[in-house]
Amino acid sequence: MVEPRYPNFFLVGAPRSGTTAFYSLLKQHPDVHLAILKEPHFFGTDLTIQPHTIRENDLYLGLFADAGDRRCVGEGSVWYLTSKLAAREIRERSPEARILVILREPDKMAYSLYGLYRRTGNEDLPTFAEALAAEDERREGRRIPEKAYFPEGLRYVEAALAADKLERFFTELGRERVRVVLYEDFRRDNLKVYREVLEFLDLDPEFVPELDPARAADRIREIAIPQLRRTDPRVRSRMNRQAPKQHAGGERDPMPAEIRARLRETFRPEVARLGEVLGRDLSHWSA
């Protein structure tokens, strides 16, 4: 068996931007090995340890022990993008790593993250407006829910900012090793974007994954079950079996129009700067 190795591919975020769907498509490729635990958050040591976090080196390497000679070996911890240390820590262990980032309109990403945390118990405020109003206090460590497992995620506006975070990865790993995908492009033509990412990873871009959700789930299950059987029990004990249902849940109600308008204005400078960083007009994100 090939010795366990650190990954050479990281899907680093952003949360609530289609990373799970993209991870599932990549997992189907015959030359790709992705960890059974999508978000081990081994790097980013400045972040709060979550219930599923794997910081033990042997357990982390064990996630990739059966990668064999597959060219792409990776994981998808979405909070690496927010971490101030993850980019450097990844470079130190895997200097040739390739990074994939998926970004979404920041107001929609923030609202979707709030909905997720209401479902999982990380958030206890009953409305998005109250959660936004509490951000300054939460930044100072106050008004954190008693059962919160990841307080950094409760700063929704801060979590949705991306330009500075991208610059950290560009600086540490080189811009040529970082690929940014927009969620709207992925939704519009997922196969086209998928093939572009395969080319970025030096993989066969002609491979066609299963796109039908039900059949894709069956294919992923065929891959995941043998992986799960070989997974260390200490890792299995940290895996949340409710996660697929929790992450798939959408928002029960649309974002209130006045909050959406206020957020779009708040994010306007960030959207303009991100557009400059990416060389793309994103003005419709703050229209």
Side-chain angles (χ1 to χ4, degrees):
M1 177 181 293
V2 178
E3 284 294 313
R5 49 179 164 153
Y6 289 101
N8 59 13
F9 166 72
F10 298 87
L11 203 176
V12 303
R16 310 307 295 163
S17 299
T19 62
T20 298
F22 213 104
Y23 198 80
S24 297
L25 290 180
L26 286 173
K27 200 171 180 70
Q28 296 180 44
H29 196 287
D31 213 11
V32 172
H33 174 91
L34 297 181
I36 185 70
L37 177 60
K38 173 177 175 276
E39 300 182 17
H41 284 101
F42 176 76
F43 299 103
T45 53
D46 54 333
L47 301 175
T48 297
I49 292 178
Q50 301 182 62
H52 58 264
T53 298
I54 303 294
R55 288 278 168 81
E56 301 90 336
N57 196 64
D58 64 323
L59 293 186
Y60 184 67
L61 290 178
L63 294 172
F64 316 103
D66 55 353
D69 59 357
R70 291 182 179 90
R71 298 184 64 184
C72 179
V73 178
E75 50 118 320
S77 300
V78 298
W79 288 101
Y80 286 163
L81 188 63
T82 290
S83 166
K84 291 181 171 61
L85 300 180
R88 188 186 73 205
E89 292 171 346
I90 288 171
R91 176 182 56 77
E92 290 172 349
R93 302 287 183 98
S94 185
E96 301 302 312
R98 303 200 184 193
I99 307 297
L100 176 62
V101 182
I102 305 178
L103 299 178
R104 185 180 185 183
E105 295 108 310
D107 59 311
K108 293 181 180 179
M109 178 267 186
Y111 187 52
S112 183
L113 186 61
Y114 168 78
L116 171 67
Y117 282 158
R118 284 291 291 164
R119 293 191 294 275
T120 62
N122 195 49
E123 174 64 86
D124 65 351
L125 293 177
T127 69
F128 189 42
E130 290 174 272
L132 292 174
E135 287 207 18
D136 287 341
E137 292 178 88
R138 286 174 162 178
R139 195 172 293 108
E140 297 171 355
R142 294 181 286 124
R143 297 198 62 184
I144 305 297
E146 183 179 347
K147 296 182 178 179
Y149 56 85
F150 191 62
E152 294 96 322
L154 298 173
R155 302 195 292 269
Y156 300 105
V157 170
E158 194 175 296
L161 303 177
D164 287 345
K165 300 169 185 176
L166 278 178
E167 293 282 9
R168 277 199 292 269
F169 277 89
F170 292 159
T171 299
E172 292 291 346
L173 289 137
R175 190 163 188 146
E176 72 282 357
R177 293 196 168 274
V178 181
R179 177 79 182 200
V180 180
V181 166
L182 299 187
Y183 177 75
E184 62 197 59
D185 293 341
F186 179 49
R187 288 291 301 269
R188 184 183 304 113
D189 193 339
N190 49 20
L191 188 56
K192 176 178 181 290
V193 172
Y194 177 70
R195 284 177 163 162
E196 290 171 350
V197 171
L198 293 182
E199 290 179 349
F200 165 69
L201 297 174
D202 288 333
L203 299 172
D204 175 16
E206 297 306 312
F207 173 78
V208 179
E210 180 55 69
L211 298 175
D212 175 78
R215 290 196 293 269
D218 289 340
R219 182 174 291 187
I220 294 298
R221 196 174 297 113
E222 291 174 2
I223 298 169
I225 289 176
Q227 267 190 286
L228 189 60
R229 288 172 180 158
R230 294 188 294 266
T231 298
D232 190 299
R234 292 172 292 172
V235 174
R236 289 204 302 266
S237 69
R238 299 180 203 181
M239 297 175 71
N240 177 10
R241 297 182 182 277
Q242 298 302 314
K245 183 183 297 185
Q246 292 168 341
H247 282 258
E251 288 64 61
R252 289 180 299 178
D253 302 303
M255 193 190 320
E258 65 276 11
I259 293 179
R260 184 171 189 239
R262 177 159 52 89
L263 278 181
R264 292 216 154 192
E265 189 59 36
T266 296
F267 285 126
R268 188 181 299 278
E270 163 70 11
V271 167
R273 178 155 182 264
L274 182 62
E276 292 176 358
V277 169
L278 299 180
R280 181 161 175 176
D281 180 12
L282 300 176
S283 58
H284 59 288
W285 282 13
S286 54

